[in-house]
Amino acid sequence: MKSGLYRDYKSYAKKETIVVDVVVIGSGCGGSTMAYELSKKGIKVALLEQGGNYHTGTFDNHELNMGGKVSAERNFHTTADGGINLVYGNNLGGASVHYWADSYRTPDDRLLLWNRKYGMENHLPEDLHSYWSELEADLHVTPAGEESFNPMNRLFRSASQRLGWEGHAVPQARKNCQKSGHCMQGCMFGAKQSQLVTHIPRAVQLGTDVYTDLRAEKLNYVGQKVTGLEAVVIDRRTLRPTATKITFLSKAVCVSAGGFGSSTFLLRNGLKKRLPALGEFLAINPSPMVHALYEEPIVQWRNIPAAYGVEDFRLARYQNGKYKEGGYMLMPNQLQPATLAALIPSFGKDHFHYMKQMEHLGGTIAWIDDVDGELGSIEVDLFGKRKIHYPFGKVTKQIFSDLTYKQMKLNFEAGAKEVFLAGMKLRKYSKLPKKEEIDALAWRPAEFPMAAPHPAGGCRMGKSSENSVVNSRHQVHGFQNLFVADSSVFPTGVSVDPSFTIMAFSKKASEFVMDVM
């Protein structure tokens, strides 16, 4: 098969009809891996991406410029109450272009939980085992070496080891890393092994056609069979839809628009009545952070973000049915200067006081393992506008308190002379407070800035259309040839960075797509 094409908003003609074997919506870890796997089997794939195609030569390491290119909604999208910043990609390669490159194999305990509690089949440890070494070779994944540890990572590792907290060097998808520290803006050196420089170009070489600046809008189907879809061209300069529409005819459609996007697309196609679980059970890995002022220069925005992670508290611990501790990953934080300025608390003199010492500011961050029973949801109104809800439940707030206290403890152990919490109000501490003082925080929405970097759910996998959206073959219930392959199918959060899990699930899903060809 001859190589595929890259197309963008300047190349489309009105009322084009394109015939392919499979249309894949979304070009992040799920969609790109799906396209690559199908193209290896000789399947003609159209890979659709509503964002632009920005190759690494267009990256400039400028926070605002790159936020506009590779971050959806220019990085300003939040939950409906404004409490959590929603972090996801809107560009070729999806969120993998701005992720930290952490590449964890899915913990066996999580796969077994999903099987036992939610009825997920075909994705047990033995089903995915062969994919791990393949992905690690494809993406050059190795544990972070000593040369990748910046001052904050070294302090973090030493302090956590003295505290007796189990941790390890974080497995990283990198090749010839230049240690610039601009991972979240996209790697201008092409060293971070995002989908933009790995699975996408390989899929194109095998015949996949890439359609950027093109938003999938309407599924076309008859009974249980999808016949294709309609898409609208997006003007890259304004990010608004144009009058140009494209029609795709295909044997199957795979929705891989991400943890926020896939359920949104299906909701906008009116499938909620058929699938009551659609948009429900949304996990987002909220990530409270703690800042710290050190005597020595930290310069947290250089080298890789997280070379070392504490996994000791990954799984929540309960005693007599009540939450005790844990339920999160702890890592050093990395914020570039403009983002750091936005997240430093207070205003005026207090803010200026910390920004003058910016190079001495370090800190930590934690990704919580969302509590089942306290998950969020996605809704779409009559006008197609999306709202994302994520209430802070009782246990979620207890986890916030525990992880914040432990972050403070770790920073003081690392030698911080002052520790303070993110948020508009300045809460600073010159020594570790009593745990009760942190437990007393209300954790109101928007009081403490945090991001949602790892969405999961919304198209939960399970056995019944009453409480799930796809079956264990990634087929949407009630359809023969409509699939979902990304983090939205996960019954809960993964408890580690989900990128590897998404890719492994897409490899497995590609086998089921092949069955309908």
Side-chain angles (χ1 to χ4, degrees):
M1 183 180 288
K2 66 178 183 179
S3 295
L5 303 171
Y6 288 95
R7 297 186 61 184
D8 64 20
Y9 70 105
K10 294 177 289 188
S11 73
Y12 300 120
K14 288 185 178 180
K15 297 183 179 179
E16 273 191 76
T17 297
I18 297 166
V19 180
V20 293
D21 293 322
V22 179
V23 176
V24 178
I25 304 169
S27 64
C29 290
S32 296
T33 305
M34 174 64 72
Y36 180 45
E37 291 300 314
L38 293 177
S39 65
K40 286 195 289 188
K41 300 176 176 71
I43 300 300
K44 184 62 179 179
V45 177
L47 182 63
L48 274 58
E49 170 57 55
Q50 70 172 352
N53 178 3
Y54 301 104
H55 61 80
T56 56
T58 68
F59 295 175
D60 61 7
N61 283 357
H62 189 289
E63 287 181 72
L64 295 180
N65 289 349
M66 294 310 300
K69 286 181 177 178
V70 305
S71 297
E73 310 292 339
R74 312 288 194 194
N75 259 340
F76 290 117
H77 197 192
T78 70
T79 47
D81 59 14
I84 303 176
N85 181 231
L86 306 178
V87 182
Y88 58 104
N90 187 23
N91 53 283
L92 188 63
S96 74
V97 175
H98 69 239
Y99 81 147
W100 279 10
D102 304 349
S103 302
Y104 288 93
R105 297 182 177 191
T106 318
D108 284 358
D109 55 59
R110 190 52 43 116
L111 296 173
L112 293 170
L113 171 72
W114 289 347
N115 169 257
R116 182 182 71 252
K117 187 172 182 179
Y118 305 99
M120 187 183 73
E121 300 172 341
N122 304 323
H123 299 77
L124 286 163
E126 57 267 29
D127 297 314
L128 304 184
H129 177 75
S130 64
Y131 301 142
W132 301 132
S133 56
E134 183 182 342
L135 283 167
E136 285 163 354
D138 270 358
L139 275 67
H140 299 274
V141 174
T142 55
E146 194 62 32
E147 72 283 355
S148 297
F149 282 70
N150 63 17
M152 192 61 233
N153 275 277
R154 290 196 294 271
L155 290 169
F156 180 97
R157 177 179 58 186
S158 298
S160 63
Q161 289 174 345
R162 288 195 298 273
L163 290 167
W165 296 349
E166 182 184 355
H168 300 90
V170 177
Q172 298 284 319
R174 301 178 188 276
K175 182 182 180 184
N176 300 322
C177 178
Q178 300 302 300
K179 307 174 182 62
S180 73
H182 286 275
C183 303
M184 284 191 289
Q185 283 79 52
C187 181
M188 68 186 297
F189 307 101
K192 185 173 65 174
Q193 299 294 282
S194 72
Q195 301 299 291
L196 185 65
V197 299
T198 53
H199 289 159
I200 292 173
R202 292 169 195 167
V204 172
Q205 193 173 15
L206 292 170
T208 288
D209 291 330
V210 172
Y211 298 83
T212 51
D213 310 301
L214 194 63
R215 179 188 298 159
E217 285 204 326
K218 181 186 176 186
L219 272 175
N220 292 325
Y221 57 91
V222 178
Q224 295 188 334
K225 195 166 185 180
V226 173
T227 58
L229 59 81
E230 295 173 17
V232 62
V233 177
I234 302 297
D235 177 30
R236 190 182 297 182
R237 295 160 297 186
T238 64
L239 299 184
R240 296 182 182 278
T242 67
T244 304
K245 307 269 188 177
I246 308 291
T247 298
F248 289 87
L249 303 178
S250 63
K251 299 173 184 175
V253 170
C254 180
V255 186
S256 300
F260 296 125
S262 288
S263 51
T264 300
F265 172 75
L266 295 176
L267 284 165
R268 285 175 176 159
N269 274 272
L271 297 184
K272 179 72 172 177
K273 287 184 179 179
R274 296 172 59 165
L275 300 162
L278 182 58
E280 306 298 326
F281 312 117
L282 178 70
I284 60 176
N285 271 181
S287 53
M289 64 190 75
V290 166
H291 303 294
L293 184 61
Y294 287 87
E295 201 74 55
E296 63 188 282
I298 298 295
V299 194
Q300 63 172 285
W301 55 89
R302 288 289 176 260
N303 216 319
I304 72 171
Y308 191 85
V310 167
E311 296 135 33
D312 204 342
F313 308 105
R314 180 177 65 84
L315 298 178
R317 298 162 191 166
Y318 293 83
Q319 193 169 37
N320 299 323
K322 292 185 177 180
Y323 173 79
K324 183 180 179 183
E325 67 173 350
Y328 49 82
M329 295 277 286
L330 279 176
M331 290 187 169
N333 204 1
Q334 182 176 89
L335 299 169
Q336 278 66 40
T339 307
L340 182 59
L343 294 173
I344 292 295
S346 196
F347 303 91
K349 290 182 180 179
D350 284 335
H351 192 272
F352 186 62
H353 166 76
Y354 289 113
M355 289 308 294
K356 276 198 306 183
Q357 305 174 83
M358 184 170 63
E359 292 192 350
H360 293 260
L361 291 176
T364 52
I365 193 166
W367 327 115
I368 90 157
D369 185 25
D370 304 68
V371 179
D372 197 10
E374 298 184 1
L375 301 177
S377 63
I378 298 176
E379 68 166 331
V380 170
D381 64 21
L382 293 174
F383 303 99
K385 186 176 180 180
R386 175 177 65 189
K387 287 185 179 180
I388 294 176
H389 305 281
Y390 193 87
F392 292 165
K394 179 182 176 181
V395 177
T396 299
K397 290 180 179 180
Q398 291 174 332
I399 293 176
F400 285 165
S401 292
D402 185 58
L403 65 83
T404 299
Y405 185 76
K406 285 192 170 67
Q407 287 184 75
M408 296 172 76
K409 188 174 184 177
L410 188 149
N411 277 285
F412 278 121
E413 178 66 32
K417 59 181 184 178
E418 188 175 299
V419 167
F420 52 103
L421 307 186
M424 287 188 289
K425 180 181 177 181
L426 180 58
R427 293 180 175 89
K428 62 179 181 179
Y429 306 84
S430 57
K431 63 179 182 179
L432 186 67
K434 292 182 178 179
K435 176 69 160 51
E436 292 77 16
E437 187 176 340
I438 305 304
D439 289 340
L441 295 173
W443 296 103
R444 288 179 290 266
E447 187 175 11
F448 299 94
M450 58 184 83
H454 307 138
C459 296
R460 177 181 270 184
M461 183 177 286
K463 293 184 176 181
S464 168
S465 60
E466 291 300 310
N467 54 26
S468 64
V469 176
V470 301
N471 63 23
S472 292
R473 296 173 63 85
H474 289 258
Q475 291 166 303
V476 175
H477 292 302
F479 289 90
Q480 297 173 9
N481 59 342
L482 177 60
F483 298 85
V484 181
D486 57 25
S487 61
S488 68
V489 306
F490 300 159
T492 67
V494 186
S495 79
V496 294
D497 183 288
S499 58
F500 245 37
T501 307
I502 296 168
M503 288 183 265
F505 271 49
S506 283
K507 283 178 175 286
K508 175 58 67 174
S510 71
E511 299 172 13
F512 305 127
V513 176
M514 284 300 299
D515 289 341
V516 303
M517 288 295 99

